[in-house]
Amino acid sequence: MKIMVIGGGGREHTLGWALSKSDEVRDFYFVPGNGGTLSLGHNINNLENEDIIRFAKEKKIDLTVVGPEKPLVQGIVDKFREEGLPIFGPMKDAAKLEGSKAFAKELMAAANVPTASFEIFDEFRAAKNYVENKREPFVVKADGLAGGKGCFVCRHAKEGLRALEVLMEERKFGDSGKTVVIEDCLGGEEVSVLALISNDRILPFLPSQDHKRANDNDRGPNTGGMGAYAPVVFIGKDELTEIIENIFLPTIKELGRRGIEYKGVLYAGLMISKSGPKVLEFNVRFGDPESQAILPLLEDDLLELLLRTNDYNLPGKINWDRGWAVAVVLASNGYPGKYKKGFEIDIKDNSCVLFHAGTRLSDGILYTAGGRVLSVVGLGEDLITAKKKAYKCISKVKFSDMYYRKDIADKGIKYLEKGRL
Ligand code: AMP
Ligand code: GLY
């Protein structure tokens, strides 16, 4: 089969790596890919919208897998289906679960899905008035896509006002900030639960935990994610069943009631609060760096799972390796703010599981080309071993301005040692 993967981050390299294990895969195209995906197939640059469709037809691509949210929200799946081209991912109306936080919140309210109490505003003065009288802390979110930067956890009204100015008046994220969601601030542990969805069938992946803040001990600004581990220790089988029944199922059913089908992977960003799991956000795609921790533990054939999702033929369960995985993101110092790129990357040991994100290969030399550069993955029979292996691999990688968190998976290890967080 010929497979095309849309995107060029760590998630897309990981998806390609996992899909390439299938005996069925013959040719791989990454659009645009990165320095790592070149070891699996071809990188195709400068392809957009209609060009991608033309390319898929020309090359007779058997399955296109979409990594990032933007093309999904813009309706790439609808366009491929109109042309009869096989593609994995939800259509535009279902992708609104990530594309509009106001849509997602209203849908959750209608379906009784646990989430933080919220109000929606499309008028600055009304939002300002609400914030001035709101119990602190609270959270202000851009309705539309903002590359993970449109969410402000505000300690007091002044911070809230600033967030409203940035989003609604200065329009830092364009029309994405025209409407805002203001919601209660939840406490607890964040967990990412991803599941394959095929109509009303829901098949969860292993839960994982991302580390969103830039610095150790969850300090510093929010990033796309600085590392992840799987499985998550404080979510057992019963809790996962509860999450499927109380969160995923009513969400999918409510979409169905509105005539919207969900087919693809759905990612619920959850806060495990004292009163149970609550939805922080829905994403309509695989997580990054969650994929780097989850997919190396997959025993089943990923390609078969994606094809069976499309065919309404999901198996009863997914088989997993019994071990643990810890993925640590190696970033350019300064990320998620300003950083330098173009430094040579030296990788001494090829035995490490290593996924590329912001890398570029030129004349056989690998260079840094983005904020998140690489993910190193440690696999082990226990979480401590997996963590040690990941950090040992880092010593084999060198580039100028390398920065990484030292505490990926520590919360899981502490929980295993003490039985609590
Ligand atoms: P979002 O863009 O909705 O995923 O939010 C980004 C991050 O902001 C989340 O991963 C959380 O760390 C934090 N966050 C979002 N909503 C809330 C909330 N209601 N309470 C506490 N933290 C939140
Ligand atoms: N790791 C966060 C995300 O994929 O959105």
Side-chain angles (χ1 to χ4, degrees):
M1 285 179 88
K2 291 183 178 177
I3 307 290
M4 174 160 74
V5 176
I6 311 280
R11 164 185 50 212
E12 287 76 24
H13 187 196
T14 313
L15 282 167
W17 173 85
L19 289 166
S20 71
K21 293 184 171 178
S22 167
D23 296 335
E24 300 289 318
V25 177
R26 190 158 54 83
D27 274 327
F28 252 123
Y29 297 92
F30 293 87
V31 181
N34 57 38
T37 57
L38 279 170
S39 64
L40 298 170
H42 313 274
N43 284 357
I44 312 293
N45 285 307
N46 304 320
L47 272 195
E48 281 192 36
N49 303 322
E50 302 308 317
D51 296 341
I52 299 185
I53 291 181
R54 197 163 25 81
F55 183 82
K57 276 187 189 162
E58 258 169 42
K59 292 288 177 197
K60 298 196 169 55
I61 300 290
D62 295 295
L63 184 69
T64 296
V65 181
V66 189
E69 61 278 14
K70 204 167 157 196
L72 293 168
V73 170
Q74 288 173 343
I76 192 172
V77 174
D78 307 49
K79 288 187 189 139
F80 266 63
R81 292 227 191 134
E82 275 162 28
E83 301 284 339
L85 298 166
I87 185 162
F88 177 83
M91 288 172 73
K92 190 177 179 177
D93 52 3
K96 240 180 136 181
L97 272 184
E98 179 166 3
S100 167
K101 289 196 190 286
F103 171 82
K105 292 294 281 193
E106 278 175 343
L107 189 126
M108 283 188 264
N112 265 325
V113 170
T115 187
S117 305
F118 67 99
E119 292 286 339
I120 296 166
F121 296 92
D122 50 21
E123 216 233 320
F124 178 76
R125 281 170 66 97
K128 178 172 178 270
N129 188 35
Y130 180 74
V131 153
E132 278 165 351
N133 298 295
K134 173 117 185 90
R135 191 158 53 92
E136 301 157 347
F138 55 87
V139 184
V140 177
K141 295 179 179 184
D143 172 48
L145 296 183
K149 297 191 182 115
C151 170
F152 300 82
V153 180
C154 307
R155 282 164 299 175
H156 40 70
K158 215 170 138 198
E159 281 184 359
L161 274 178
R162 185 67 202 122
L164 292 178
E165 279 166 9
V166 168
L167 295 176
M168 300 184 93
E169 294 214 309
E170 294 164 20
R171 290 291 176 91
K172 189 163 177 217
F173 304 104
D175 278 356
S176 288
K178 211 164 71 177
T179 300
V180 295
V181 174
I182 303 176
E183 64 182 38
D184 288 351
C185 192
L186 301 173
E189 273 309 306
E190 279 189 65
V191 173
S192 307
V193 177
L194 285 73
L196 291 171
I197 315 278
S198 185
N199 212 359
D200 58 354
R201 284 289 323 275
I202 298 163
L203 190 59
F205 284 93
L206 286 178
S208 59
Q209 187 167 44
D210 189 9
H211 295 63
K212 287 225 164 73
R213 300 299 190 102
N215 308 326
D216 286 0
N217 300 313
D218 295 334
R219 302 250 163 83
N222 261 328
T223 69
M226 295 299 292
Y229 69 91
V232 168
V233 280
F234 39 87
I235 297 218
K237 241 182 163 179
D238 292 348
E239 283 96 353
L240 189 57
T241 305
E242 206 181 296
I243 288 166
I244 297 305
E245 280 172 7
N246 298 342
I247 290 173
F248 280 85
L249 198 57
T251 301
I252 299 307
K253 280 197 170 152
E254 181 59 29
L255 282 173
R257 257 194 288 280
R258 299 176 185 202
I260 301 171
E261 180 197 61
Y262 199 101
K263 213 158 64 155
V265 64
L266 180 61
Y267 160 155
L270 305 173
M271 188 69 93
I272 310 298
S273 72
K274 281 202 182 102
S275 54
K278 294 190 174 164
V279 178
L280 293 175
E281 62 163 347
F282 280 122
N283 296 320
V284 297
R285 51 170 174 80
F286 285 95
D288 188 346
E290 287 92 333
S291 301
Q292 288 89 311
I294 297 171
L295 294 178
L297 296 174
L298 182 65
E299 265 189 5
D300 293 337
D301 183 323
L302 180 63
L303 178 63
E304 193 187 325
L305 285 172
L306 303 192
L307 291 171
R308 289 181 70 167
T309 306
N310 275 359
D311 289 347
Y312 304 105
N313 181 27
L314 278 176
K317 68 174 183 114
I318 299 179
N319 293 299
W320 298 99
D321 194 286
R322 279 172 178 274
W324 301 77
V326 175
V328 182
V329 170
L330 307 184
S332 302
N333 194 21
Y335 169 80
K338 280 199 182 121
Y339 56 84
K340 289 189 194 147
K341 53 189 182 183
F343 296 117
E344 214 173 304
I345 305 172
D346 180 26
I347 301 172
K348 286 233 162 13
D349 185 344
N350 286 323
S351 66
C352 294
V353 182
L354 202 138
F355 298 116
H356 293 228
T359 72
R360 179 174 59 83
L361 194 66
S362 178
D363 294 331
I365 298 174
L366 198 62
Y367 297 95
T368 64
R372 292 191 288 178
V373 178
L374 296 161
S375 297
V376 288
V377 182
L379 298 167
E381 280 174 14
D382 58 74
L383 190 53
I384 294 178
T385 308
K387 181 186 171 185
K388 274 192 188 143
K389 279 198 186 163
Y391 281 92
K392 198 168 167 218
C393 274
I394 296 179
S395 63
K396 313 272 164 67
V397 180
K398 283 202 172 45
F399 59 86
S400 294
D401 283 5
M402 181 162 88
Y403 171 78
Y404 57 90
R405 274 181 64 161
K406 314 280 186 302
D407 64 342
I408 305 301
D410 279 1
K411 276 191 214 163
I413 292 168
K414 188 172 152 200
Y415 187 89
L416 286 171
E417 283 170 355
K418 298 199 171 153
R420 64 183 159 78
L421 285 161

PDB file of all heavy atoms in Angstrom, residues 11 210 212 224-225 267 281 283 285-290, ligand 2:
ATOM      1  N   ARG A  11       4.902  13.812  16.013  1.00  0.00           N
ATOM      2  CA  ARG A  11       3.737  12.912  15.902  1.00  0.00           C
ATOM      3  C   ARG A  11       3.734  12.218  14.537  1.00  0.00           C
ATOM      4  O   ARG A  11       3.504  11.023  14.435  1.00  0.00           O
ATOM      5  CB  ARG A  11       2.471  13.743  16.084  1.00  0.00           C
ATOM      6  CG  ARG A  11       1.199  13.077  15.631  1.00  0.00           C
ATOM      7  CD  ARG A  11       0.030  14.039  15.741  1.00  0.00           C
ATOM      8  NE  ARG A  11       0.316  15.312  15.123  1.00  0.00           N
ATOM      9  CZ  ARG A  11      -0.172  16.487  15.531  1.00  0.00           C
ATOM     10  NH1 ARG A  11      -0.989  16.547  16.538  1.00  0.00           N
ATOM     11  NH2 ARG A  11       0.135  17.604  14.912  1.00  0.00           N
ATOM     12  N   ASP A 210       0.856  14.126  29.407  1.00  0.00           N
ATOM     13  CA  ASP A 210       1.720  15.107  28.745  1.00  0.00           C
ATOM     14  C   ASP A 210       2.334  16.012  29.826  1.00  0.00           C
ATOM     15  O   ASP A 210       1.868  16.023  30.971  1.00  0.00           O
ATOM     16  CB  ASP A 210       0.840  15.928  27.787  1.00  0.00           C
ATOM     17  CG  ASP A 210       1.644  16.849  26.880  1.00  0.00           C
ATOM     18  OD1 ASP A 210       2.874  16.754  26.852  1.00  0.00           O
ATOM     19  OD2 ASP A 210       1.005  17.672  26.199  1.00  0.00           O
ATOM     20  N   LYS A 212       2.937  19.869  29.847  1.00  0.00           N
ATOM     21  CA  LYS A 212       2.712  21.021  28.960  1.00  0.00           C
ATOM     22  C   LYS A 212       3.623  22.216  29.249  1.00  0.00           C
ATOM     23  O   LYS A 212       3.977  22.950  28.342  1.00  0.00           O
ATOM     24  CB  LYS A 212       1.253  21.473  29.080  1.00  0.00           C
ATOM     25  CG  LYS A 212       0.282  20.517  28.418  1.00  0.00           C
ATOM     26  CD  LYS A 212      -0.749  21.250  27.592  1.00  0.00           C
ATOM     27  CE  LYS A 212      -1.477  20.339  26.639  1.00  0.00           C
ATOM     28  NZ  LYS A 212      -2.446  19.443  27.263  1.00  0.00           N
ATOM     29  N   GLY A 224       3.634  23.109  23.402  1.00  0.00           N
ATOM     30  CA  GLY A 224       2.907  22.030  22.733  1.00  0.00           C
ATOM     31  C   GLY A 224       3.005  20.722  23.517  1.00  0.00           C
ATOM     32  O   GLY A 224       2.205  19.812  23.324  1.00  0.00           O
ATOM     33  N   GLY A 225       3.983  20.639  24.418  1.00  0.00           N
ATOM     34  CA  GLY A 225       4.206  19.417  25.204  1.00  0.00           C
ATOM     35  C   GLY A 225       5.688  19.109  25.241  1.00  0.00           C
ATOM     36  O   GLY A 225       6.338  19.075  24.198  1.00  0.00           O
ATOM     37  N   TYR A 267      -9.247  12.788  20.948  1.00  0.00           N
ATOM     38  CA  TYR A 267      -8.339  12.947  22.081  1.00  0.00           C
ATOM     39  C   TYR A 267      -9.051  13.820  23.102  1.00  0.00           C
ATOM     40  O   TYR A 267      -9.426  14.954  22.792  1.00  0.00           O
ATOM     41  CB  TYR A 267      -7.070  13.584  21.520  1.00  0.00           C
ATOM     42  CG  TYR A 267      -6.089  14.312  22.410  1.00  0.00           C
ATOM     43  CD1 TYR A 267      -4.758  14.405  22.012  1.00  0.00           C
ATOM     44  CD2 TYR A 267      -6.432  14.941  23.597  1.00  0.00           C
ATOM     45  CE1 TYR A 267      -3.821  15.099  22.764  1.00  0.00           C
ATOM     46  CE2 TYR A 267      -5.504  15.629  24.356  1.00  0.00           C
ATOM     47  CZ  TYR A 267      -4.212  15.706  23.931  1.00  0.00           C
ATOM     48  OH  TYR A 267      -3.296  16.405  24.677  1.00  0.00           O
ATOM     49  N   GLU A 281     -10.431  19.877  27.113  1.00  0.00           N
ATOM     50  CA  GLU A 281     -10.524  20.156  25.676  1.00  0.00           C
ATOM     51  C   GLU A 281     -10.643  18.850  24.917  1.00  0.00           C
ATOM     52  O   GLU A 281     -10.241  17.784  25.396  1.00  0.00           O
ATOM     53  CB  GLU A 281      -9.268  20.893  25.193  1.00  0.00           C
ATOM     54  CG  GLU A 281      -8.007  20.068  25.365  1.00  0.00           C
ATOM     55  CD  GLU A 281      -6.831  20.576  24.556  1.00  0.00           C
ATOM     56  OE1 GLU A 281      -7.023  21.417  23.670  1.00  0.00           O
ATOM     57  OE2 GLU A 281      -5.713  20.094  24.802  1.00  0.00           O
ATOM     58  N   ASN A 283      -9.428  17.215  21.192  1.00  0.00           N
ATOM     59  CA  ASN A 283      -8.645  17.356  19.976  1.00  0.00           C
ATOM     60  C   ASN A 283      -9.077  16.254  19.019  1.00  0.00           C
ATOM     61  O   ASN A 283      -9.432  15.156  19.468  1.00  0.00           O
ATOM     62  CB  ASN A 283      -7.150  17.248  20.275  1.00  0.00           C
ATOM     63  CG  ASN A 283      -6.671  18.386  21.159  1.00  0.00           C
ATOM     64  OD1 ASN A 283      -7.091  19.525  20.992  1.00  0.00           O
ATOM     65  ND2 ASN A 283      -5.798  18.080  22.111  1.00  0.00           N
ATOM     66  N   ARG A 285      -7.411  14.582  16.710  1.00  0.00           N
ATOM     67  CA  ARG A 285      -6.196  14.036  16.089  1.00  0.00           C
ATOM     68  C   ARG A 285      -5.357  13.345  17.146  1.00  0.00           C
ATOM     69  O   ARG A 285      -5.710  13.377  18.324  1.00  0.00           O
ATOM     70  CB  ARG A 285      -5.416  15.221  15.517  1.00  0.00           C
ATOM     71  CG  ARG A 285      -5.277  16.271  16.627  1.00  0.00           C
ATOM     72  CD  ARG A 285      -4.369  17.384  16.359  1.00  0.00           C
ATOM     73  NE  ARG A 285      -4.434  18.366  17.429  1.00  0.00           N
ATOM     74  CZ  ARG A 285      -3.829  18.297  18.599  1.00  0.00           C
ATOM     75  NH1 ARG A 285      -3.075  17.244  18.882  1.00  0.00           N
ATOM     76  NH2 ARG A 285      -3.956  19.238  19.505  1.00  0.00           N
ATOM     77  N   PHE A 286      -4.262  12.744  16.716  1.00  0.00           N
ATOM     78  CA  PHE A 286      -3.326  12.155  17.675  1.00  0.00           C
ATOM     79  C   PHE A 286      -2.606  13.273  18.438  1.00  0.00           C
ATOM     80  O   PHE A 286      -2.444  14.381  17.923  1.00  0.00           O
ATOM     81  CB  PHE A 286      -2.281  11.309  16.948  1.00  0.00           C
ATOM     82  CG  PHE A 286      -2.806   9.980  16.469  1.00  0.00           C
ATOM     83  CD1 PHE A 286      -3.284   9.823  15.181  1.00  0.00           C
ATOM     84  CD2 PHE A 286      -2.842   8.890  17.326  1.00  0.00           C
ATOM     85  CE1 PHE A 286      -3.774   8.595  14.743  1.00  0.00           C
ATOM     86  CE2 PHE A 286      -3.330   7.663  16.908  1.00  0.00           C
ATOM     87  CZ  PHE A 286      -3.799   7.517  15.610  1.00  0.00           C
ATOM     88  N   GLY A 287      -2.166  12.992  19.639  1.00  0.00           N
ATOM     89  CA  GLY A 287      -1.455  13.976  20.456  1.00  0.00           C
ATOM     90  C   GLY A 287       0.036  13.983  20.137  1.00  0.00           C
ATOM     91  O   GLY A 287       0.598  12.999  19.656  1.00  0.00           O
ATOM     92  N   ASP A 288       0.660  15.109  20.413  1.00  0.00           N
ATOM     93  CA  ASP A 288       2.103  15.252  20.225  1.00  0.00           C
ATOM     94  C   ASP A 288       2.627  15.947  21.470  1.00  0.00           C
ATOM     95  O   ASP A 288       2.288  17.112  21.684  1.00  0.00           O
ATOM     96  CB  ASP A 288       2.353  16.095  18.966  1.00  0.00           C
ATOM     97  CG  ASP A 288       3.819  16.156  18.572  1.00  0.00           C
ATOM     98  OD1 ASP A 288       4.664  15.773  19.393  1.00  0.00           O
ATOM     99  OD2 ASP A 288       4.107  16.601  17.456  1.00  0.00           O
ATOM    100  N   PRO A 289       3.356  15.318  22.367  1.00  0.00           N
ATOM    101  CA  PRO A 289       4.135  14.086  22.211  1.00  0.00           C
ATOM    102  C   PRO A 289       3.475  12.809  22.743  1.00  0.00           C
ATOM    103  O   PRO A 289       4.172  11.805  22.902  1.00  0.00           O
ATOM    104  CB  PRO A 289       5.380  14.392  23.033  1.00  0.00           C
ATOM    105  CG  PRO A 289       4.843  15.197  24.185  1.00  0.00           C
ATOM    106  CD  PRO A 289       3.691  15.997  23.627  1.00  0.00           C
ATOM    107  N   GLU A 290       2.174  12.799  22.997  1.00  0.00           N
ATOM    108  CA  GLU A 290       1.558  11.570  23.516  1.00  0.00           C
ATOM    109  C   GLU A 290       1.798  10.379  22.583  1.00  0.00           C
ATOM    110  O   GLU A 290       2.063   9.260  23.035  1.00  0.00           O
ATOM    111  CB  GLU A 290       0.052  11.754  23.718  1.00  0.00           C
ATOM    112  CG  GLU A 290      -0.333  12.616  24.909  1.00  0.00           C
ATOM    113  CD  GLU A 290      -0.487  14.081  24.540  1.00  0.00           C
ATOM    114  OE1 GLU A 290       0.163  14.525  23.564  1.00  0.00           O
ATOM    115  OE2 GLU A 290      -1.244  14.799  25.216  1.00  0.00           O
TER     116      GLU A 290
HETATM  117  N1  GLY B   2       0.173  17.359  23.630  1.00  0.00           N
HETATM  118  C1  GLY B   2      -0.883  18.249  23.376  1.00  0.00           C
HETATM  119  C2  GLY B   2      -1.512  18.128  22.069  1.00  0.00           C
HETATM  120  O1  GLY B   2      -1.207  17.275  21.266  1.00  0.00           O
HETATM  121  O2  GLY B   2      -2.396  18.939  21.805  1.00  0.00           O
END
